Amino acid sequence: MPHMICKIYPLFLMLCVAYSYLGFSQTKTINSGWQFSEDKTNWQTVNIPHTWNQDDAFDDDLGYRRGLGYYQKHIFFSSETSANNHYLKFNAVNQDATVYVNGKEIGNHKGGYTAFNFNISEYINYDTYNVIEVTVDNSHNEDIPPLDADFTFYGGIYRDVELISLPKQHFSLEDFASEGFYVNYPHVSKEKASIEITTLLKNTALNKVKTALELVLTDADGNVVKTHIETLQLKPQSIDEFKLLLPEIKHPKLWSPDDPYLYKLQLILKDKTGAIVDAKTTNIGFRWVSVDAKKGFYLNGEPIKLIGVNRHQDYEGYGNAVPMALQKKDIELIKDMGSNVIRFAHYPHARELYKMCDELGILVWTEIPVVNKVTNSEAFFETSIKMQKEHLKQYYNYPSVVMFGYMNEIFLRLAFDKKESDAEKEERKKYTYQLAKQLEDLTRKEAPNHITVMALHFNELYNETKIADLSMLVGWNLYFGWYHDTIEDLGVFLDNQHQRYPDRAIMISEYGPGADVRVSATQPSRYDYSQQYQLLLHSGYYNQVEARDYVTGMTAWNFADFGSEFRGETIPHVNQKGLVQYNREPKEVYYWYQSVLKEKEPHIHIANYEDTITLLNSNQYDVTLFSNQKKAKLYVNDIYLQNVAFKDGMAIVAVPFVNGINTLKAETEMHSDVLQIKANVIKTLKENPNQKLAINIGTHINYSDDVNGVTFLQDRVYTKGLYGYVPSSGKCEKKLVPFNISNSNQEAIFQTMLVDCQTYKVDIPNGSYKVTLYFVEPDLKNKANIVFNLSNSDETSNTNISHRVFDISLNDKTVVSQFNMAKAYSAKYGITQTFEVDINNNVGLTIGLNAIKGDTVISGILIEKID
């Protein structure tokens, strides 16, 4: 029974041709109903996308399962399709995949982030079910990049699986799993533009075949702009390459982030009767780009400062097996922030997202995962080269893609390696440079009219080896003010590099501090994870980049928090440098970016750092506002407070609060925002009506504890009527332990502490209380190598620890004797000790830590009234 294909063209012209089921290409997604097993014995039904690491990469056990996973699916093939060519296409499997059909191995693919396909036609049994099996291995493999990186290598089939059925003549799928055609723009200007299409057409018939290839270019409204038809002869059982040139387009509408105008190009392959046998569609965006070492990035002949984000693909609760609808929301959020560029780090992402960048107007830097180090083996070089070929071929046609990259921080491990000899390090520099040169040459050859890029970390190695001179644009991953130095040192570094290498185009490819929405600070500082410090650093970088024309731009690290199993920050196993949280709820800095990047839409936002604030001996609290307007009016509890003037998208106002709920309203001529904040205004704890008091010892940050429903207040020196440590009772040194705390999700309490401080006083009124004290033994090792904290900490051994021992007392009554955490626990455990105590005679609470051996430590206090 023939079917009917109707092609609708503008001006009510409809082209309809009959085709048989056998004669037209079909693609269907086969994601549902796979069987999965880790041992080939116990099976479960899963749907693709799927990973086996969505849970174990976030538990307290060191490491996550890296090994084999087995997938299986039964597919029925009708004999009616026996004349077709059948392909299995996997859009990404991490990282080594071997595919079988009916027990026969049909192919293997190495690399976890690009697509691959296999022609399975000769292995199929018709009019019955066929068994598709995939063995996946995400074990560490010295011959497959990435070898080592600050993100989790989730195993599994985590992007779509497709079954593609093609007639004997079709666009080839065998050029590194591309679509079989490539769009080039020999010339683009405001006056005219040309399009050249290179097609790879496959003919599996035993005889040569006459075909016609029709090209139809339509504008954004669907109107036909240009057409071209060419008759082609396809040789038998071969793949032929053809180059076709569309007639020149006069006065094209140019593509840009402000106006992402897209044309559509249809490629229609017809047989000698005029029946359609295969067809493709792609976006066409007329634009041209260049980069200048002195003046930065140019798009369509005009300078444009690139400001945007990096993105990792994983998502809270999903690992890397993220539904496409959620991934697409990422791109919408990135655009809505005001970004004009995105770096898809550190690997190719789902192609649907690049198409969204075409449509929304986001310039793209895309790259392969050759990260941190290189193996000096033929297999590693071959795999890396093949990855880049797949990358270039599969992502070539997207107008948004302007930069192709191939390495990230490739000398990071070399810089921190304590085991390699100097001779071995020199050899590593040489073969790493050799691979970089091969990848650079390949990219320039295969992707003309694109910019080649490489990302470097803060180290002189890249200049010494001259690897920084290879790519057209150099991205520096810079963390001044976080891992080292100050925020202002960024500009010093940039100016120094520009002075030394005036012909090198540069941008900041990564920057940003960690931030936890539960953490706030009135005096933010480096490495405190407060949102206030995150704003301080991002705004500081933005102003320094804006002031330097030669800096191409900057992409924040990262758009969203992402999984990094070995990290031990205030949220363990998560890199918290995102502008939005792991669940994509925005952090406050996201709204600031909207204020400086979005000019056309009026915007104002009151930053909400804490739902509940505690004010000691004062009723004033600094409120931060963001807006792209010049002025606003601020109201507190419906009473006009003052006019607010914005500079660089923000303003900070000292606001008087009353005890209880306070309503803030910020209002511009075009927009307004309202925020409610609860305030506890406390002059003395003896007048404090709250049932709970919590103190975050050893730090200046406040921590909002959702579990106990209380904010752990920043530490302070004791003053009468309030709380604090007694400085005369020891050294009272503040210490940060930036590692995962086992048996707890309250790292922000346990990771900070006072060392050698024997007296802590809290002037609570008389009554009965439950007192919980928080401790961790900082010297126990978690056996994790935290290179990305850029410290030289050795978390590999618990030998030769000098165990600390101390007594704990409450109001001079000993409640714990010989407290020895290292003896009771084998790693950094979050330890709590809870006691009931009666306070009489207005003496308040005095916590005594009496050292027996070593220094005392304490991390937090929670005091709860007993009714």
Side-chain angles (χ1 to χ4, degrees):
M1 177 72 181
H3 299 257
M4 188 70 70
I5 279 274
C6 294
K7 193 68 185 175
I8 302 177
Y9 290 121
L11 305 177
F12 308 103
L13 174 63
M14 179 179 290
L15 172 64
C16 299
V17 297
Y19 76 100
S20 94
Y21 177 76
L22 304 180
F24 191 75
S25 63
Q26 287 194 337
T27 299
K28 62 179 179 180
T29 302
I30 52 171
N31 286 347
S32 300
W34 287 76
Q35 298 295 306
F36 172 74
S37 175
E38 294 183 355
D39 56 13
K40 285 193 173 182
T41 300
N42 301 296
W43 295 86
Q44 60 176 312
T45 301
V46 301
N47 292 331
I48 307 301
H50 175 263
T51 178
W52 60 75
N53 295 124
Q54 73 271 16
D55 297 321
D56 71 335
F58 299 93
D59 60 26
D60 273 344
D61 294 333
L62 184 64
Y64 55 103
R65 183 178 176 273
R66 298 193 66 182
L68 296 172
Y70 304 94
Y71 294 85
Q72 191 178 102
K73 183 176 177 62
H74 293 75
I75 302 177
F76 185 89
F77 285 88
S78 169
S79 58
E80 293 182 357
T81 67
S82 60
N84 283 3
N85 295 273
H86 301 287
Y87 285 82
L88 274 177
K89 182 175 183 179
F90 297 85
N91 283 283
V93 179
N94 201 25
Q95 66 178 356
D96 186 307
T98 305
V99 181
Y100 305 83
V101 176
N102 295 325
K104 297 179 180 178
E105 181 178 335
I106 63 167
N108 172 268
H109 181 264
K110 291 177 170 58
Y113 304 97
T114 46
F116 60 95
N117 56 46
F118 297 116
N119 189 334
I120 64 172
S121 304
E122 63 181 280
Y123 303 95
I124 292 172
N125 297 321
Y126 291 97
D127 292 332
T128 188
Y129 280 92
N130 293 254
V131 182
I132 310 297
E133 297 172 283
V134 187
T135 299
V136 182
D137 190 352
N138 74 327
S139 300
H140 178 78
N141 188 322
E142 283 293 316
D143 292 327
I144 305 176
L147 301 176
D148 171 88
D150 184 15
F151 58 94
T152 301
F153 303 160
Y154 305 93
I157 305 176
Y158 70 93
R159 290 186 194 154
D160 289 348
V161 183
E162 297 171 311
L163 178 62
I164 304 172
S165 296
L166 298 169
K168 293 183 183 297
Q169 292 79 43
H170 56 265
F171 291 94
S172 173
L173 301 183
E174 296 176 19
D175 193 29
F176 297 94
S178 74
E179 293 296 308
F181 71 94
Y182 307 99
V183 178
N184 284 293
Y185 304 87
H187 176 80
V188 179
S189 69
K190 296 176 182 178
E191 291 75 30
K192 58 185 178 180
S194 56
I195 303 175
E196 180 187 73
I197 300 95
T198 301
T199 62
L200 301 174
L201 300 179
K202 184 173 183 179
N203 176 26
T204 61
L206 298 176
N207 57 298
K208 64 180 181 180
V209 174
K210 182 180 180 181
T211 62
L213 182 58
E214 180 178 4
L215 306 177
V216 180
L217 181 70
T218 56
D219 64 17
D221 296 321
N223 301 308
V224 172
V225 177
K226 296 290 180 182
T227 62
H228 179 74
I229 300 177
E230 195 152 331
T231 301
L232 306 170
Q233 289 281 351
L234 305 184
K235 294 190 289 290
Q237 295 186 305
S238 66
I239 299 174
D240 292 315
E241 178 181 304
F242 300 95
K243 290 186 183 293
L244 292 82
L245 191 65
L246 268 179
E248 199 170 68
I249 296 94
K250 301 292 186 184
H251 304 293
K253 294 186 177 179
L254 301 180
W255 183 96
S256 71
D258 289 337
D259 184 13
Y261 191 93
L262 291 175
Y263 296 78
K264 293 287 184 185
L265 178 65
Q266 295 174 314
L267 300 87
I268 306 164
L269 185 64
K270 300 178 180 180
D271 65 18
K272 61 182 180 180
T273 69
I276 298 173
V277 293
D278 201 1
K280 302 285 184 180
T281 303
T282 189
N283 288 330
I284 296 293
F286 292 115
R287 51 96 183 126
W288 72 98
V289 297
S290 62
V291 64
D292 184 273
K294 295 179 176 61
K295 298 181 180 179
F297 195 87
Y298 279 75
L299 174 65
N300 302 331
E302 301 292 334
I304 176 175
K305 187 74 79 172
L306 302 183
I307 308 291
V309 298
N310 290 262
R311 177 191 184 262
H312 267 301
Q313 66 185 357
D314 61 327
Y315 198 108
E316 185 177 40
Y318 294 96
N320 61 350
V322 185
M324 185 50 62
L326 290 179
Q327 296 199 57
K328 287 183 175 181
K329 286 182 181 178
D330 277 4
I331 308 305
E332 292 173 352
L333 280 168
I334 290 168
K335 180 64 178 182
D336 194 47
M337 192 186 87
S339 301
N340 59 19
V341 66
I342 183 171
R343 178 183 176 214
F344 283 118
H346 290 299
Y347 40 79
H349 292 219
R351 288 191 298 279
E352 293 90 335
L353 307 184
Y354 293 69
K355 183 172 182 290
M356 284 195 69
C357 291
D358 289 350
E359 295 165 351
L360 295 179
I362 306 176
L363 294 158
V364 170
W365 164 338
T366 182
E367 63 192 16
I368 57 171
V370 183
V371 180
N372 293 359
K373 62 186 296 189
V374 166
T375 300
N376 189 20
S377 71
E378 183 179 349
F380 187 92
F381 274 54
E382 288 179 352
T383 302
S384 300
I385 293 294
K386 185 180 180 184
M387 273 188 183
Q388 185 68 335
K389 286 182 179 178
E390 291 173 332
H391 177 217
L392 298 174
K393 301 282 188 179
Q394 294 170 20
Y395 294 82
Y396 190 83
N397 291 331
Y398 297 100
S400 56
V401 174
V402 296
M403 291 175 272
F404 276 116
Y406 50 82
M407 278 184 176
N408 178 77
E409 298 186 349
I410 205 60
F411 288 137
L412 183 70
R413 281 295 180 187
L414 175 65
F416 286 89
D417 197 317
K418 300 177 182 178
K419 297 178 181 179
E420 282 192 336
S421 66
D422 289 343
E424 288 172 325
K425 288 184 177 181
E426 288 304 312
E427 183 64 18
R428 180 176 292 279
K429 293 176 188 177
K430 291 177 182 177
Y431 64 72
T432 299
Y433 181 92
Q434 290 170 3
L435 178 58
K437 183 67 165 61
Q438 290 181 32
L439 290 168
E440 174 71 21
D441 291 346
L442 170 69
T443 307
R444 290 199 185 210
K445 177 184 176 183
E446 297 292 339
N449 303 316
H450 291 79
I451 296 168
T452 62
V453 286
M454 183 193 303
L456 322 176
H457 83 283
F458 175 57
N459 197 290
E460 190 62 22
L461 279 167
Y462 300 97
N463 294 322
E464 292 173 0
T465 60
K466 300 189 184 302
I467 202 170
D469 293 326
L470 289 175
S471 58
M472 300 175 185
L473 174 63
V474 164
W476 283 102
N477 299 347
L478 300 175
Y479 292 92
F480 289 99
W482 185 242
Y483 292 128
H484 55 84
D485 298 311
T486 69
I487 295 171
E488 292 72 24
D489 286 319
L490 170 71
V492 177
F493 173 82
L494 293 173
D495 290 342
N496 176 265
Q497 289 296 308
H498 184 56
Q499 183 179 11
R500 292 169 60 194
Y501 305 99
D503 296 326
R504 183 188 295 169
I506 62 173
M507 71 177 291
I508 304 175
S509 41
E510 293 182 22
Y511 66 98
D516 185 334
V517 297
R518 301 169 300 174
V519 172
S520 65
T522 54
Q523 294 181 321
S525 64
R526 186 169 76 91
Y527 231 79
D528 68 6
Y529 287 89
S530 70
Q531 290 196 83
Q532 288 93 334
Y533 189 74
Q534 186 181 35
L535 172 64
L536 197 65
L537 189 145
H538 278 269
S539 60
Y541 273 52
Y542 176 80
N543 289 331
Q544 291 177 81
V545 168
E546 282 289 315
R548 290 166 169 83
D549 290 341
Y550 67 84
V551 180
T552 297
M554 60 185 198
T555 47
W557 190 261
N558 193 280
F559 161 63
D561 293 350
F562 60 91
S564 185
E565 192 274 341
F566 61 80
R567 273 192 175 262
E569 303 182 354
T570 60
I571 303 175
H573 318 298
V574 174
N575 187 313
Q576 296 168 236
K577 295 185 180 70
L579 308 182
V580 303
Q581 300 172 60
Y582 206 5
N583 64 2
R584 275 42 177 187
E585 287 293 322
K587 300 178 186 179
E588 293 302 326
V589 72
Y590 177 90
Y591 299 106
W592 172 77
Y593 271 107
Q594 286 186 321
S595 296
V596 294
L597 299 181
K598 297 182 73 174
E599 298 178 356
K600 296 180 180 179
E601 301 175 28
H603 167 77
I604 190 166
H605 175 80
I606 306 171
N608 182 16
Y609 292 126
E610 298 178 90
D611 292 328
T612 301
I613 60 174
T614 298
L615 303 174
L616 304 177
N617 278 327
S618 172
N619 71 333
Q620 290 210 330
Y621 178 80
D622 284 346
V623 173
T624 303
L625 300 91
F626 306 132
S627 182
N628 57 4
Q629 305 298 292
K630 293 181 179 180
K631 297 179 181 179
K633 293 182 178 180
L634 181 62
Y635 299 83
V636 181
N637 299 322
D638 296 323
I639 298 173
Y640 169 77
L641 179 67
Q642 67 178 70
N643 282 342
V644 178
F646 293 96
K647 182 180 179 182
D648 299 325
M650 77 174 82
I652 299 176
V653 180
V655 175
F657 282 82
V658 297
N659 210 48
I661 301 297
N662 293 258
T663 301
L664 281 63
K665 182 179 181 181
E667 190 176 78
T668 69
E669 293 182 359
M670 304 290 292
H671 196 58
S672 65
D673 189 34
V674 176
L675 176 66
Q676 286 193 330
I677 298 178
K678 182 180 178 181
N680 295 322
V681 181
I682 299 174
K683 292 183 178 179
T684 172
L685 289 178
K686 295 186 184 297
E687 300 173 2
N688 179 22
N690 295 304
Q691 296 295 306
K692 296 180 180 181
L693 175 68
I695 305 165
N696 201 5
I697 294 179
T699 181
H700 64 286
I701 67 171
N702 294 333
Y703 168 70
S704 178
D705 177 10
D706 296 334
V707 176
N708 292 296
V710 65
T711 295
F712 278 74
L713 302 177
Q714 65 181 0
D715 205 2
R716 64 195 308 275
V717 175
Y718 171 75
T719 55
K720 189 174 181 179
L722 295 172
Y723 68 86
Y725 59 89
V726 178
S728 61
S729 67
K731 294 180 181 178
C732 296
E733 294 178 339
K734 295 179 180 179
K735 183 179 179 66
L736 169 67
V737 181
F739 299 103
N740 178 33
I741 306 300
S742 300
N743 197 39
S744 173
N745 62 355
Q746 297 176 309
E747 265 75 1
I749 302 172
F750 289 108
Q751 287 176 335
T752 59
M753 62 194 69
L754 281 179
V755 180
D756 185 24
C757 200
Q758 301 197 28
T759 305
Y760 207 100
K761 298 189 71 173
V762 187
D763 286 347
I764 51 178
N766 295 339
S768 297
Y769 296 90
K770 182 170 74 171
V771 177
T772 301
L773 306 180
Y774 293 71
F775 301 95
V776 68
E777 173 49 69
D779 291 338
L780 285 170
K781 310 303 182 185
N782 282 347
K783 299 180 181 179
N785 188 10
I786 311 297
V787 166
F788 297 94
N789 283 333
L790 299 190
S791 69
N792 290 316
S793 301
D794 181 12
E795 285 282 296
T796 59
S797 173
N798 283 324
T799 60
N800 300 320
I801 291 177
S802 177
H803 294 177
R804 71 186 76 244
V805 182
F806 55 92
D807 293 340
I808 304 171
S809 65
L810 300 180
N811 287 353
D812 297 324
K813 179 181 179 180
T814 299
V815 290
V816 177
S817 298
Q818 301 281 318
F819 187 49
N820 186 334
M821 293 176 282
K823 185 175 181 180
Y825 298 94
S826 60
K828 291 182 176 67
Y829 268 73
I831 302 167
T832 57
Q833 297 283 322
T834 302
F835 317 95
E836 290 189 4
V837 61
D838 293 325
I839 307 295
N840 300 300
N841 301 319
N842 295 317
V843 298
L845 175 66
T846 298
I847 300 164
L849 306 175
N850 307 306
I852 298 171
K853 181 180 180 181
D855 293 332
T856 62
V857 293
I858 185 170
S859 291
I861 305 170
L862 174 62
I863 302 171
E864 302 170 275
K865 280 187 178 179
I866 300 175
D867 295 329

